[in-house]
Amino acid sequence: MLDTTKRPADYEVLSPWPEADPVPARGITPRLDSLAGKTIGLFANGKRAAVPMLAALERELKAKFPTLKTSWYKCSVFNTPEILTFGREKFEAWVRGVDAVALTVGD
């Protein structure tokens, strides 16, 4: 017969998260006030689902912001930061022509 009168042992619960720097995270550039009329770069990293994911995002964005424009960029070398490839100049020119970028990792 199970004895239900005994109190369970006390346990110390530990967090898997280490102490962190209290400085809040922030982006490297300010957020856009609106996407209306902006050009959003869609960066496909070469993984097989990247393009379909970005196409779905593009449809959603254009439905919500009809004046929004998109500009696509497909990476030059699979799994290599574009800035380190022969496509660097093309990539840098593309980045200068957009207001923000959405990147997918489409595994």
Side-chain angles (χ1 to χ4, degrees):
M1 180 171 229
L2 180 63
D3 183 359
T4 58
T5 61
K6 288 187 177 181
R7 186 170 170 242
D10 289 334
Y11 293 95
E12 181 180 2
V13 177
L14 302 173
S15 171
W17 298 99
E19 292 298 319
D21 187 348
V23 176
R26 63 178 175 20
I28 57 174
T29 58
R31 288 183 177 259
L32 299 174
D33 57 345
S34 172
L35 295 182
K38 301 291 195 265
T39 300
I40 305 303
L42 302 175
F43 183 92
N45 72 338
K47 303 273 185 156
R48 73 176 155 217
V51 170
M53 289 169 37
L54 286 171
L57 175 63
E58 180 180 42
R59 281 190 305 276
E60 293 293 322
L61 288 172
K62 286 185 173 184
K64 291 181 182 178
F65 303 96
T67 60
L68 176 130
K69 295 178 227 110
T70 56
S71 174
W72 282 77
Y73 190 92
K74 294 183 181 174
C75 70
S76 302
V77 178
F78 181 71
N79 274 351
T80 303
E82 196 65 10
I83 205 79
L84 301 177
T85 73
F86 60 86
R88 178 182 180 157
E89 288 181 26
K90 179 181 164 190
F91 175 73
E92 288 176 340
W94 174 76
V95 168
R96 285 191 296 274
V98 298
D99 298 300
V101 173
L103 175 138
T104 59
V105 178
D107 282 329

XYZ file of all heavy atoms in Angstrom:
830
model
N 0.840 -1.178 0.000
C 0.000 0.000 0.000
C 0.890 1.249 0.000
O 1.890 1.309 0.682
C -0.914 -0.039 1.210
C -1.818 1.119 1.314
S -2.995 0.805 2.613
C -4.439 1.202 1.774
N 0.521 2.252 -0.776
C 1.283 3.483 -0.915
C 1.048 4.387 0.288
O -0.094 4.645 0.669
C 0.851 4.204 -2.203
C 1.543 5.510 -2.522
C 3.034 5.274 -2.737
C 0.936 6.145 -3.749
N 2.148 4.860 0.890
C 2.055 5.753 2.053
C 1.985 7.192 1.555
O 2.961 7.749 1.071
C 3.273 5.553 2.959
C 3.193 6.411 4.213
O 2.205 7.166 4.374
O 4.114 6.321 5.028
N 0.844 7.836 1.640
C 0.655 9.211 1.174
C 0.850 10.235 2.281
O 0.646 11.429 2.065
C -0.747 9.384 0.561
O -1.704 9.048 1.546
C -0.905 8.529 -0.678
N 1.239 9.813 3.454
C 1.416 10.753 4.559
C 2.809 11.371 4.556
O 3.029 12.386 5.194
C 1.196 10.049 5.905
O 2.150 9.001 6.056
C -0.221 9.513 6.019
N 3.738 10.776 3.846
C 5.095 11.323 3.807
C 5.156 12.506 2.852
O 4.562 12.498 1.773
C 6.096 10.270 3.358
C 6.344 9.217 4.397
C 7.467 8.322 3.960
C 7.766 7.295 5.031
N 8.854 6.433 4.637
N 5.858 13.517 3.255
C 6.049 14.714 2.428
C 7.165 14.437 1.419
O 8.197 13.892 1.782
C 6.437 15.875 3.341
C 6.536 17.182 2.658
C 6.681 18.293 3.694
N 7.019 19.493 2.991
C 8.141 20.163 3.153
N 9.033 19.774 4.011
N 8.360 21.253 2.461
N 6.989 14.833 0.150
C 8.044 14.612 -0.834
C 9.291 15.431 -0.472
O 9.210 16.467 0.183
C 7.453 15.081 -2.156
C 6.237 15.852 -1.811
C 5.827 15.482 -0.415
N 10.432 14.943 -0.899
C 11.694 15.637 -0.619
C 11.712 16.994 -1.312
O 11.091 17.184 -2.359
C 12.859 14.785 -1.103
N 12.397 17.950 -0.708
C 12.567 19.262 -1.334
C 13.665 19.170 -2.383
O 14.672 18.489 -2.186
C 12.961 20.307 -0.288
C 11.803 20.634 0.640
O 10.646 20.464 0.220
O 12.069 21.062 1.777
N 13.457 19.850 -3.479
C 14.438 19.863 -4.567
C 14.814 21.299 -4.884
O 13.975 22.194 -4.838
C 13.856 19.229 -5.835
C 13.603 17.755 -5.697
C 12.349 17.285 -5.336
C 14.625 16.841 -5.918
C 12.109 15.939 -5.202
C 14.393 15.489 -5.786
C 13.137 15.034 -5.435
O 12.912 13.703 -5.312
N 16.058 21.495 -5.212
C 16.508 22.802 -5.670
C 16.391 22.806 -7.184
O 16.883 21.896 -7.855
C 17.965 23.040 -5.263
C 18.477 24.396 -5.699
C 19.922 24.618 -5.300
O 20.544 23.721 -4.719
O 20.422 25.719 -5.597
N 15.726 23.807 -7.735
C 15.546 23.905 -9.177
C 16.574 24.900 -9.704
O 16.665 26.035 -9.227
C 14.115 24.374 -9.532
C 13.961 24.541 -11.026
C 13.096 23.395 -8.973
N 17.338 24.461 -10.687
C 18.375 25.303 -11.271
C 17.964 25.728 -12.672
O 17.376 24.948 -13.413
C 19.706 24.540 -11.321
C 20.226 24.029 -9.981
C 21.445 23.163 -10.202
C 20.536 25.178 -9.049
N 18.304 26.933 -13.032
C 18.031 27.418 -14.377
C 19.183 27.027 -15.305
O 20.348 27.142 -14.930
C 17.899 28.948 -14.364
O 17.849 29.429 -15.695
N 18.850 26.616 -16.528
C 19.925 26.293 -17.483
C 20.549 27.543 -18.092
O 21.538 27.471 -18.797
C 19.202 25.462 -18.543
C 17.803 25.982 -18.506
C 17.532 26.315 -17.061
N 19.967 28.698 -17.813
C 20.456 29.939 -18.403
C 21.532 30.557 -17.508
O 21.327 30.729 -16.315
C 19.312 30.939 -18.568
C 18.271 30.417 -19.502
C 17.095 29.822 -19.168
C 18.338 30.388 -20.918
N 16.420 29.429 -20.290
C 17.163 29.770 -21.384
C 19.277 30.830 -21.840
C 16.907 29.580 -22.734
C 19.014 30.634 -23.183
C 17.843 30.021 -23.616
N 22.669 30.936 -18.095
C 23.723 31.569 -17.300
C 23.364 33.022 -16.997
O 22.431 33.584 -17.583
C 24.940 31.503 -18.222
C 24.352 31.554 -19.597
C 23.049 30.791 -19.493
N 24.094 33.597 -16.085
C 23.914 35.030 -15.847
C 24.248 35.753 -17.152
O 25.202 35.409 -17.828
C 24.837 35.500 -14.725
C 24.473 34.945 -13.367
C 23.089 35.385 -12.909
O 22.723 36.557 -13.113
O 22.370 34.545 -12.352
N 23.460 36.729 -17.485
C 23.644 37.413 -18.772
C 23.952 38.880 -18.560
O 23.647 39.457 -17.516
C 22.379 37.266 -19.607
N 24.523 39.466 -19.566
C 24.804 40.889 -19.563
C 23.474 41.639 -19.500
O 22.566 41.367 -20.296
C 25.560 41.253 -20.842
C 26.054 42.684 -20.867
O 25.632 43.482 -20.014
O 26.868 43.002 -21.739
N 23.308 42.577 -18.582
C 22.013 43.256 -18.444
C 21.720 44.278 -19.549
O 20.653 44.872 -19.562
C 22.130 43.955 -17.088
C 23.595 44.182 -16.915
C 24.267 43.004 -17.587
N 22.644 44.488 -20.476
C 22.405 45.445 -21.556
C 21.378 44.832 -22.506
O 21.581 43.733 -23.029
C 23.715 45.767 -22.314
C 23.444 46.682 -23.489
C 24.733 46.361 -21.371
N 20.265 45.509 -22.754
C 19.239 44.936 -23.632
C 19.740 44.841 -25.073
O 20.518 45.681 -25.537
C 18.068 45.914 -23.517
C 18.631 47.165 -22.960
C 19.883 46.800 -22.219
N 19.272 43.812 -25.778
C 19.632 43.643 -27.188
C 19.011 44.754 -28.020
O 17.910 45.226 -27.731
C 19.147 42.286 -27.671
N 19.714 45.178 -29.029
C 19.170 46.180 -29.949
C 19.713 45.917 -31.335
O 20.782 45.335 -31.498
C 19.490 47.594 -29.502
C 20.969 47.931 -29.471
C 21.185 49.357 -29.059
N 22.462 49.897 -28.860
C 23.645 49.520 -29.261
N 23.775 48.457 -29.949
N 24.749 50.163 -29.013
N 18.988 46.327 -32.337
C 19.400 46.124 -33.715
C 20.551 47.032 -34.097
O 20.871 47.991 -33.390
N 21.160 46.733 -35.225
C 22.274 47.576 -35.676
C 21.786 48.831 -36.389
O 22.544 49.760 -36.585
C 23.252 46.785 -36.569
C 22.526 46.192 -37.782
C 23.953 45.712 -35.780
C 23.450 45.530 -38.782
N 20.532 48.838 -36.775
C 19.922 50.023 -37.379
C 18.543 50.213 -36.763
O 17.932 49.263 -36.285
C 19.768 49.874 -38.908
O 18.987 48.718 -39.181
C 21.113 49.750 -39.598
N 18.043 51.431 -36.780
C 16.693 51.652 -36.221
C 15.627 50.915 -37.040
O 15.783 50.708 -38.240
C 16.497 53.157 -36.329
C 17.809 53.735 -36.684
C 18.659 52.655 -37.251
N 14.551 50.544 -36.379
C 13.428 49.910 -37.078
C 12.763 50.927 -38.004
O 12.731 52.122 -37.713
C 12.393 49.403 -36.079
C 12.862 48.188 -35.331
C 11.743 47.703 -34.419
N 12.157 46.499 -33.738
C 11.779 45.281 -34.089
N 10.959 45.116 -35.088
N 12.210 44.242 -33.419
N 12.187 50.427 -39.085
C 11.433 51.290 -39.986
C 10.131 51.687 -39.311
O 9.529 50.884 -38.591
C 11.133 50.554 -41.291
C 12.356 50.112 -42.109
C 11.911 49.260 -43.286
C 13.143 51.316 -42.579
N 9.688 52.913 -39.535
C 8.428 53.348 -38.943
C 7.233 52.670 -39.610
O 6.192 52.480 -39.005
C 8.291 54.864 -38.987
C 8.392 55.433 -40.403
O 8.839 54.707 -41.315
O 8.026 56.601 -40.598
N 7.376 52.304 -40.877
C 6.332 51.621 -41.632
C 6.986 50.907 -42.812
O 8.075 51.290 -43.240
C 5.304 52.632 -42.141
O 4.392 52.009 -43.037
N 6.318 49.912 -43.340
C 6.812 49.237 -44.542
C 6.194 49.817 -45.812
O 6.631 49.493 -46.909
C 6.522 47.738 -44.458
C 7.240 46.986 -43.339
C 6.900 45.507 -43.393
C 8.736 47.189 -43.399
N 5.196 50.666 -45.661
C 4.537 51.272 -46.814
C 5.551 52.051 -47.649
O 6.303 52.868 -47.130
C 3.412 52.188 -46.355
N 5.605 51.743 -48.934
C 6.485 52.448 -49.858
C 7.961 52.068 -49.762
O 8.777 52.618 -50.477
N 8.288 51.141 -48.903
C 9.683 50.740 -48.713
C 10.039 49.594 -49.652
O 9.176 48.914 -50.189
C 9.924 50.283 -47.267
C 9.630 51.331 -46.217
C 10.630 52.457 -46.278
C 10.587 53.317 -45.046
N 9.806 54.476 -45.093
N 11.341 49.394 -49.835
C 11.843 48.256 -50.604
C 12.476 47.275 -49.625
O 13.410 47.628 -48.905
C 12.882 48.701 -51.649
O 12.271 49.630 -52.545
C 13.414 47.506 -52.430
N 11.936 46.084 -49.615
C 12.419 45.048 -48.704
C 13.223 44.032 -49.507
O 12.748 43.481 -50.499
C 11.243 44.345 -47.986
C 10.362 45.367 -47.268
C 11.755 43.272 -47.030
C 11.081 46.224 -46.256
N 14.454 43.808 -49.073
C 15.297 42.810 -49.709
C 14.947 41.427 -49.207
O 14.758 41.217 -48.010
N 14.841 40.477 -50.115
C 14.550 39.087 -49.765
C 15.785 38.269 -50.130
O 16.082 38.055 -51.298
C 13.314 38.596 -50.516
C 12.044 39.415 -50.274
C 10.918 38.924 -51.168
C 11.643 39.365 -48.816
N 16.528 37.837 -49.113
C 17.791 37.130 -49.312
C 17.584 35.636 -49.164
O 17.232 35.148 -48.094
C 18.826 37.608 -48.295
C 20.181 36.980 -48.473
C 21.135 37.604 -49.254
C 20.502 35.785 -47.877
C 22.390 37.039 -49.433
C 21.747 35.199 -48.042
C 22.695 35.827 -48.828
N 17.808 34.903 -50.251
C 17.703 33.439 -50.235
C 19.105 32.863 -50.085
O 19.981 33.139 -50.897
C 17.051 32.947 -51.523
N 19.298 32.054 -49.050
C 20.631 31.556 -48.732
C 21.033 30.294 -49.487
O 22.078 29.728 -49.223
C 20.748 31.298 -47.227
C 19.969 30.081 -46.787
O 19.041 29.648 -47.449
N 20.330 29.528 -45.649
N 20.238 29.826 -50.403
C 20.596 28.660 -51.191
C 20.019 27.352 -50.689
O 20.107 26.337 -51.372
N 19.433 27.347 -49.508
C 18.794 26.129 -49.010
C 17.491 25.917 -49.782
O 16.878 26.869 -50.263
C 18.501 26.251 -47.511
C 19.716 26.538 -46.657
C 20.391 25.260 -46.270
C 21.527 25.576 -45.307
N 21.871 24.475 -44.474
N 17.053 24.666 -49.895
C 15.940 24.359 -50.802
C 14.622 25.032 -50.462
O 13.811 25.293 -51.343
C 15.764 22.857 -50.926
C 15.169 22.227 -49.712
C 14.922 20.753 -49.910
N 14.924 20.148 -48.590
C 15.415 18.983 -48.305
N 15.933 18.264 -49.259
N 15.390 18.532 -47.092
N 14.360 25.314 -49.197
C 13.076 25.920 -48.841
C 13.149 27.438 -48.714
O 12.136 28.081 -48.459
C 12.556 25.317 -47.542
N 14.328 28.018 -48.911
C 14.472 29.468 -48.732
C 13.575 30.260 -49.688
O 12.871 31.175 -49.265
C 15.932 29.883 -48.902
N 13.596 29.906 -50.968
C 12.797 30.649 -51.950
C 11.298 30.503 -51.690
O 10.583 31.511 -51.658
C 13.185 30.258 -53.393
C 12.214 30.839 -54.403
C 14.612 30.736 -53.693
N 10.771 29.293 -51.467
C 9.330 29.204 -51.166
C 8.931 29.966 -49.902
O 7.854 30.572 -49.847
C 9.078 27.703 -51.005
C 10.194 27.031 -51.724
C 11.365 27.960 -51.631
N 9.792 29.949 -48.882
C 9.481 30.690 -47.656
C 9.453 32.191 -47.917
O 8.550 32.897 -47.456
C 10.506 30.351 -46.563
C 10.336 28.944 -46.021
S 11.662 28.315 -44.972
C 12.209 29.673 -44.025
N 10.432 32.689 -48.669
C 10.458 34.116 -48.976
C 9.300 34.514 -49.888
O 8.753 35.612 -49.757
C 11.791 34.504 -49.615
C 12.973 34.547 -48.659
C 14.275 34.718 -49.432
C 12.821 35.658 -47.642
N 8.917 33.636 -50.804
C 7.775 33.930 -51.680
C 6.498 34.075 -50.856
O 5.681 34.966 -51.113
C 7.626 32.837 -52.736
N 6.334 33.215 -49.850
C 5.157 33.315 -48.965
C 5.207 34.615 -48.170
O 4.193 35.305 -48.024
C 5.100 32.114 -48.031
N 6.380 34.962 -47.677
C 6.536 36.224 -46.940
C 6.229 37.409 -47.851
O 5.524 38.334 -47.462
C 7.953 36.339 -46.377
C 8.286 37.659 -45.693
C 7.410 37.878 -44.461
C 9.762 37.706 -45.323
N 6.726 37.359 -49.079
C 6.488 38.440 -50.033
C 4.990 38.628 -50.281
O 4.479 39.753 -50.277
C 7.214 38.128 -51.343
C 7.042 39.195 -52.413
C 7.787 38.829 -53.679
O 7.754 37.635 -54.096
O 8.403 39.721 -54.270
N 4.265 37.529 -50.484
C 2.799 37.628 -50.693
C 2.117 38.285 -49.502
O 1.267 39.164 -49.664
C 2.199 36.236 -50.931
C 2.381 35.696 -52.310
C 1.555 34.437 -52.562
N 1.796 33.371 -51.601
C 2.786 32.483 -51.678
N 3.640 32.535 -52.681
N 2.915 31.543 -50.759
N 2.482 37.857 -48.287
C 1.873 38.420 -47.074
C 2.186 39.910 -46.928
O 1.317 40.704 -46.605
C 2.354 37.660 -45.836
C 1.865 36.231 -45.758
C 0.371 36.122 -45.549
O -0.191 36.935 -44.794
O -0.243 35.224 -46.156
N 3.438 40.260 -47.146
C 3.830 41.671 -47.013
C 3.115 42.554 -48.025
O 2.609 43.623 -47.685
C 5.349 41.822 -47.171
C 6.208 41.320 -46.023
C 7.679 41.370 -46.408
C 5.948 42.132 -44.765
N 3.059 42.105 -49.278
C 2.408 42.911 -50.317
C 0.904 43.007 -50.097
O 0.290 44.006 -50.468
C 2.739 42.363 -51.696
C 4.171 42.675 -52.096
C 4.473 42.243 -53.508
C 5.859 42.718 -53.927
N 6.157 42.394 -55.314
N 0.304 41.989 -49.481
C -1.127 42.055 -49.165
C -1.386 43.111 -48.089
O -2.390 43.825 -48.133
C -1.634 40.691 -48.708
N -0.476 43.229 -47.130
C -0.650 44.195 -46.038
C -0.170 45.590 -46.402
O -0.668 46.583 -45.870
C 0.093 43.713 -44.787
C -0.526 42.505 -44.148
C 0.219 42.079 -42.918
C -0.417 40.837 -42.338
N 0.274 40.329 -41.175
N 0.829 45.664 -47.277
C 1.413 46.949 -47.671
C 1.492 47.003 -49.194
O 2.534 46.696 -49.788
C 2.821 47.106 -47.067
C 2.850 46.986 -45.570
C 3.151 45.779 -44.963
C 2.561 48.079 -44.767
C 3.182 45.648 -43.583
C 2.581 47.966 -43.388
C 2.890 46.746 -42.794
N 0.402 47.387 -49.867
C 0.349 47.350 -51.331
C 1.420 48.186 -52.030
O 1.787 47.887 -53.165
C -1.051 47.879 -51.655
C -1.840 47.690 -50.406
C -0.867 47.793 -49.275
N 1.953 49.211 -51.374
C 2.973 50.044 -52.012
C 4.397 49.534 -51.761
O 5.357 50.126 -52.254
C 2.866 51.505 -51.532
O 3.056 51.542 -50.110
C 1.521 52.107 -51.895
N 4.518 48.462 -51.014
C 5.815 47.876 -50.719
C 6.414 47.251 -51.979
O 5.706 46.665 -52.788
C 5.638 46.803 -49.642
C 6.879 46.007 -49.262
C 7.028 46.009 -47.751
C 6.794 44.596 -49.765
N 7.725 47.383 -52.130
C 8.445 46.744 -53.228
C 9.396 45.721 -52.628
O 9.821 45.855 -51.479
C 9.228 47.777 -54.028
C 8.352 48.786 -54.729
C 9.212 49.807 -55.451
C 8.707 51.177 -55.159
N 9.423 52.052 -54.364
N 9.728 44.705 -53.403
C 10.705 43.721 -52.947
C 11.833 43.615 -53.958
O 11.663 43.902 -55.137
C 10.076 42.324 -52.753
O 9.462 41.921 -53.966
C 9.070 42.322 -51.620
N 12.982 43.220 -53.454
C 14.154 43.003 -54.292
C 14.796 41.699 -53.836
O 15.164 41.561 -52.669
C 15.134 44.172 -54.131
O 16.337 43.904 -54.827
N 14.905 40.748 -54.748
C 15.441 39.425 -54.416
C 16.951 39.370 -54.607
O 17.503 39.995 -55.495
C 14.813 38.377 -55.321
C 13.423 37.997 -54.908
C 12.284 38.730 -55.116
C 13.031 36.829 -54.222
N 11.205 38.073 -54.594
C 11.630 36.885 -54.051
C 13.720 35.718 -53.734
C 10.921 35.884 -53.412
C 13.006 34.725 -53.106
C 11.617 34.809 -52.948
N 17.583 38.572 -53.748
C 19.008 38.265 -53.912
C 19.203 36.801 -53.562
O 18.783 36.347 -52.499
C 19.879 39.126 -52.992
C 21.352 38.992 -53.310
C 21.957 39.863 -54.198
C 22.119 37.983 -52.747
C 23.297 39.739 -54.517
C 23.456 37.852 -53.066
C 24.046 38.731 -53.948
O 25.366 38.601 -54.265
N 19.825 36.061 -54.460
C 20.144 34.659 -54.205
C 21.655 34.549 -54.027
O 22.418 35.088 -54.831
C 19.658 33.774 -55.343
C 18.139 33.762 -55.423
C 17.634 32.843 -56.495
C 16.118 32.907 -56.542
N 15.579 32.146 -57.649
N 22.067 33.861 -52.985
C 23.489 33.791 -52.647
C 24.312 33.193 -53.780
O 23.822 32.399 -54.574
C 23.704 33.020 -51.352
S 23.384 31.268 -51.480
N 25.573 33.604 -53.843
C 26.481 33.140 -54.881
C 27.081 31.782 -54.558
O 27.313 30.969 -55.444
C 27.626 34.143 -55.062
O 27.123 35.409 -55.387
N 27.379 31.564 -53.277
C 28.012 30.322 -52.832
C 27.231 29.803 -51.629
O 27.038 30.520 -50.653
C 29.493 30.550 -52.447
C 30.125 29.255 -51.949
C 30.279 31.122 -53.614
N 26.798 28.573 -51.721
C 26.009 27.931 -50.672
C 26.784 27.888 -49.358
O 27.955 27.541 -49.320
C 25.659 26.517 -51.146
C 24.823 25.725 -50.204
C 23.495 26.045 -50.013
C 25.360 24.653 -49.523
C 22.720 25.303 -49.149
C 24.586 23.897 -48.661
C 23.253 24.229 -48.479
N 26.120 28.265 -48.255
C 26.669 28.188 -46.892
C 27.939 29.007 -46.674
O 28.790 28.641 -45.865
C 26.922 26.743 -46.475
C 25.687 26.089 -45.897
O 24.690 26.749 -45.657
N 25.752 24.812 -45.689
N 28.075 30.099 -47.386
C 29.217 30.998 -47.203
C 28.677 32.413 -47.118
O 27.871 32.807 -47.958
C 30.200 30.889 -48.391
O 30.619 29.525 -48.519
C 31.414 31.767 -48.182
N 29.105 33.189 -46.123
C 28.641 34.580 -46.070
C 28.942 35.285 -47.398
O 30.054 35.203 -47.918
C 29.453 35.180 -44.924
C 29.795 34.015 -44.059
C 30.001 32.863 -45.006
N 27.935 35.911 -47.934
C 28.055 36.526 -49.264
C 29.213 37.522 -49.333
O 29.856 37.665 -50.364
C 26.735 37.201 -49.633
C 26.589 37.536 -51.079
C 26.531 36.318 -52.005
O 26.421 35.171 -51.541
O 26.593 36.524 -53.220
N 29.490 38.174 -48.242
C 30.556 39.172 -48.201
C 31.927 38.529 -48.452
O 32.891 39.204 -48.790
C 30.495 39.953 -46.862
C 31.119 41.321 -46.991
C 31.067 39.174 -45.729
C 30.226 42.312 -47.644
N 32.030 37.197 -48.305
C 33.286 36.473 -48.509
C 33.378 35.800 -49.873
O 34.301 35.041 -50.131
C 33.470 35.411 -47.418
C 33.505 35.913 -45.980
C 33.616 34.736 -45.016
C 34.645 36.896 -45.770
N 32.427 36.063 -50.750
C 32.402 35.395 -52.054
C 32.710 36.368 -53.183
O 32.823 37.579 -52.977
C 31.019 34.766 -52.318
O 30.083 35.815 -52.610
C 30.531 33.927 -51.155
N 32.776 35.817 -54.385
C 32.972 36.647 -55.582
C 31.763 37.540 -55.838
O 31.838 38.482 -56.621
C 33.252 35.767 -56.807
C 32.138 34.798 -57.118
C 31.061 35.177 -57.902
C 32.167 33.506 -56.614
C 30.034 34.294 -58.182
C 31.143 32.615 -56.892
C 30.071 33.004 -57.677
N 30.640 37.287 -55.155
C 29.441 38.107 -55.305
C 29.394 39.319 -54.381
O 28.386 40.009 -54.304
N 30.499 39.592 -53.703
C 30.522 40.667 -52.700
C 30.065 42.025 -53.254
O 29.220 42.679 -52.656
C 31.925 40.786 -52.111
C 32.039 41.899 -51.105
C 33.435 42.026 -50.562
N 33.468 43.120 -49.604
C 34.353 43.231 -48.655
N 35.303 42.334 -48.527
N 34.322 44.248 -47.826
N 30.612 42.453 -54.363
C 30.245 43.778 -54.905
C 28.770 43.835 -55.286
O 28.088 44.819 -55.000
C 31.124 44.114 -56.101
C 32.549 44.447 -55.711
C 33.414 44.804 -56.901
O 32.863 45.268 -57.925
O 34.631 44.621 -56.800
N 28.283 42.779 -55.918
C 26.863 42.718 -56.291
C 25.992 42.759 -55.031
O 24.986 43.465 -54.979
C 26.614 41.435 -57.080
C 25.192 41.215 -57.502
C 25.083 39.883 -58.246
C 23.642 39.469 -58.340
N 23.481 38.110 -58.828
N 26.398 42.012 -54.006
C 25.663 41.973 -52.745
C 25.638 43.349 -52.080
O 24.591 43.819 -51.646
C 26.305 40.944 -51.816
C 25.701 40.908 -50.441
C 24.447 40.366 -50.227
C 26.390 41.422 -49.363
C 23.887 40.329 -48.957
C 25.848 41.392 -48.087
C 24.593 40.845 -47.887
N 26.792 44.007 -51.993
C 26.857 45.325 -51.358
C 25.998 46.342 -52.101
O 25.334 47.169 -51.478
C 28.304 45.787 -51.257
C 29.087 45.009 -50.216
C 30.563 45.379 -50.168
O 31.094 45.952 -51.142
O 31.190 45.079 -49.135
N 25.975 46.280 -53.427
C 25.116 47.181 -54.213
C 23.646 46.883 -53.926
O 22.836 47.812 -53.781
C 25.419 47.032 -55.697
N 23.301 45.612 -53.832
C 21.918 45.224 -53.527
C 21.495 45.759 -52.163
O 20.413 46.325 -52.013
C 21.790 43.704 -53.596
C 20.458 43.174 -53.176
C 19.300 43.203 -53.901
C 20.138 42.541 -51.939
N 18.281 42.606 -53.176
C 18.779 42.191 -51.972
C 20.883 42.219 -50.803
C 18.139 41.547 -50.919
C 20.245 41.571 -49.748
C 18.893 41.250 -49.826
N 22.356 45.596 -51.163
C 22.043 46.055 -49.801
C 21.806 47.564 -49.778
O 20.897 48.043 -49.106
C 23.158 45.648 -48.805
C 23.002 46.359 -47.478
C 23.159 44.148 -48.603
N 22.593 48.311 -50.524
C 22.412 49.771 -50.556
C 21.073 50.169 -51.173
O 20.566 51.252 -50.911
C 23.559 50.431 -51.319
C 24.856 50.484 -50.547
C 25.895 51.370 -51.224
N 26.315 50.863 -52.528
C 27.289 49.973 -52.732
N 27.953 49.479 -51.709
N 27.606 49.584 -53.945
N 20.474 49.288 -51.965
C 19.222 49.607 -52.649
C 17.957 49.184 -51.923
O 16.866 49.306 -52.478
N 18.092 48.672 -50.696
C 16.903 48.238 -49.952
C 16.826 48.958 -48.606
O 17.832 49.428 -48.091
C 16.887 46.702 -49.748
C 16.826 45.986 -51.086
C 18.067 46.216 -48.942
N 15.621 49.008 -48.070
C 15.417 49.651 -46.765
C 15.572 48.683 -45.603
O 15.890 49.081 -44.488
C 14.023 50.293 -46.722
C 13.874 51.382 -47.765
O 14.641 52.359 -47.715
O 12.995 51.243 -48.636
N 15.318 47.409 -45.859
C 15.440 46.367 -44.841
C 15.594 45.031 -45.569
O 15.306 44.941 -46.766
C 14.203 46.327 -43.944
N 16.043 44.020 -44.849
C 16.266 42.700 -45.457
C 15.605 41.620 -44.610
O 15.682 41.653 -43.375
C 17.778 42.401 -45.578
C 18.018 40.968 -46.048
C 18.458 43.386 -46.520
N 14.975 40.661 -45.294
C 14.483 39.445 -44.654
C 15.307 38.299 -45.215
O 15.479 38.177 -46.417
C 13.003 39.230 -44.956
N 15.845 37.478 -44.326
C 16.664 36.344 -44.721
C 16.036 35.079 -44.174
O 15.548 35.071 -43.050
C 18.085 36.505 -44.155
C 19.036 35.342 -44.378
C 20.388 35.867 -44.768
C 19.135 34.472 -43.151
N 16.029 34.039 -44.970
C 15.517 32.762 -44.483
C 16.633 31.737 -44.481
O 17.574 31.827 -45.239
C 14.372 32.226 -45.378
O 14.877 32.074 -46.699
C 13.178 33.140 -45.371
N 16.504 30.778 -43.603
C 17.374 29.612 -43.595
C 16.431 28.445 -43.875
O 15.763 27.957 -42.986
C 18.093 29.464 -42.238
C 18.957 28.214 -42.234
C 18.927 30.707 -41.953
N 16.349 28.068 -45.114
C 15.309 27.148 -45.554
C 15.724 25.701 -45.615
O 15.796 25.135 -46.706
N 16.024 25.096 -44.486
C 16.328 23.659 -44.466
C 15.069 22.843 -44.579
O 14.040 23.158 -44.110
C 17.054 23.266 -43.178
C 18.529 23.647 -43.235
O 19.091 23.649 -44.334
O 19.084 23.934 -42.182
